Amino acid sequence: MVDLLFSEPKLAELYDEFCAGREDFGFYLPLVMSAKSVLDVGCGTGELLRKAREDGHTGRLCGLDPAEAMLEQARKRADIEWAHGDLASVNWRREFDLVVMTGHAFQVLVEDDQLRASQAAIRSALTEHGRLVFETRNPSARAWETWTPNNAVEILHDGSAVRMAHQVAMPIVGDRVSFTVTYTSPSWEQPLVSRSTLRFLEADSLSALLSEAGLFVEEQYGDWTGSH
């Protein structure tokens, strides 16, 4: 099932506002700026690549996303390549020095076969000494326990409040966490509900899947400051 968040134009328009002040960009942006050619897998609205271009990146920047609504926002910047689809629908060969997967782009790959195919495609897209940089949340931190309506976030958009509230589906099944995100606003006729499932892989399982694709872990950090 396609997540409503990625297919609903109204939510795509609000995405960057809800994600304002992202800490992860302080980590990713220097890596993007130091690479000649960059592929952002699951680029969403393309904010990371837009920031790189605004900061003076002169090389190739390409964003890939399966959601046309998100890419409509991304295409407002015409000096960056935007590709509609996923890693199964493209065929890049040794073209990128850096591939990034920010946010939950890696964790939405919930099946082993999806992960194997995606990592193999990324390995093919990377140059000989290219790097994949991505994030996946530590399952022992149990971040999903804070995804409750009590921790809802509210923004002001076009003079009207919009509220975003998470609700985890219980019980948790293995390393997969399913949840809904409900968006409400007094100016809307009805709420919009997004349903998602994320996979929280243990470190050993993650390393094994990466090695199958010919990738190895060069560095692994515990937070955005680069600490272990």
Side-chain angles (χ1 to χ4, degrees), residues 30-69:
L31 296 170
V32 173
M33 295 301 294
S34 65
K36 292 181 179 179
S37 54
V38 181
L39 172 63
D40 185 352
V41 176
C43 66
T45 62
E47 186 179 11
L48 176 62
L49 298 185
R50 292 200 309 270
K51 285 182 178 294
R53 193 66 89 203
E54 290 165 3
D55 285 357
H57 194 291
T58 59
R60 183 183 182 188
L61 299 176
C62 181
L64 173 69
D65 201 276
E68 186 62 38

Side-chain angles (χ1 to χ4, degrees), residues 81-108:
E81 296 176 47
W82 305 111
H84 180 232
D86 56 23
L87 287 166
S89 63
V90 294
N91 189 31
W92 286 301
R93 289 289 180 265
R94 305 289 185 260
E95 297 184 35
F96 297 99
D97 300 310
L98 176 69
V99 174
V100 297
M101 300 179 75
T102 69
H104 293 302
F106 183 86
Q107 286 184 276
V108 300

Side-chain angles (χ1 to χ4, degrees), residues 78-154:
D79 56 352
I80 298 170
E81 296 176 47
W82 305 111
H84 180 232
D86 56 23
L87 287 166
S89 63
V90 294
N91 189 31
W92 286 301
R93 289 289 180 265
R94 305 289 185 260
E95 297 184 35
F96 297 99
D97 300 310
L98 176 69
V99 174
V100 297
M101 300 179 75
T102 69
H104 293 302
F106 183 86
Q107 286 184 276
V108 300
L109 304 172
V110 296
E111 302 295 339
D112 284 355
D113 287 348
Q114 287 180 300
L115 279 166
R116 290 188 181 99
S118 296
Q119 299 314 294
I122 287 171
R123 182 68 188 88
S124 295
L126 286 170
T127 58
E128 182 180 357
H129 300 293
R131 293 191 295 174
L132 164 65
V133 182
F134 67 98
E135 61 194 86
T136 183
R137 311 303 166 86
N138 184 350
S140 64
R142 301 179 67 83
W144 59 86
E145 293 181 350
T146 66
W147 299 351
T148 68
N150 290 335
N151 292 322
V153 176
E154 192 170 283

Side-chain angles (χ1 to χ4, degrees), residues 106 115-116 119 134 136 201-220:
F106 183 86
L115 279 166
R116 290 188 181 99
Q119 299 314 294
F134 67 98
T136 183
L201 274 169
E202 296 284 355
D204 290 346
S205 299
L206 175 61
S207 295
L209 285 165
L210 291 172
S211 65
E212 286 182 30
L215 299 166
F216 67 93
V217 178
E218 182 180 279
E219 294 284 350
Q220 187 169 320

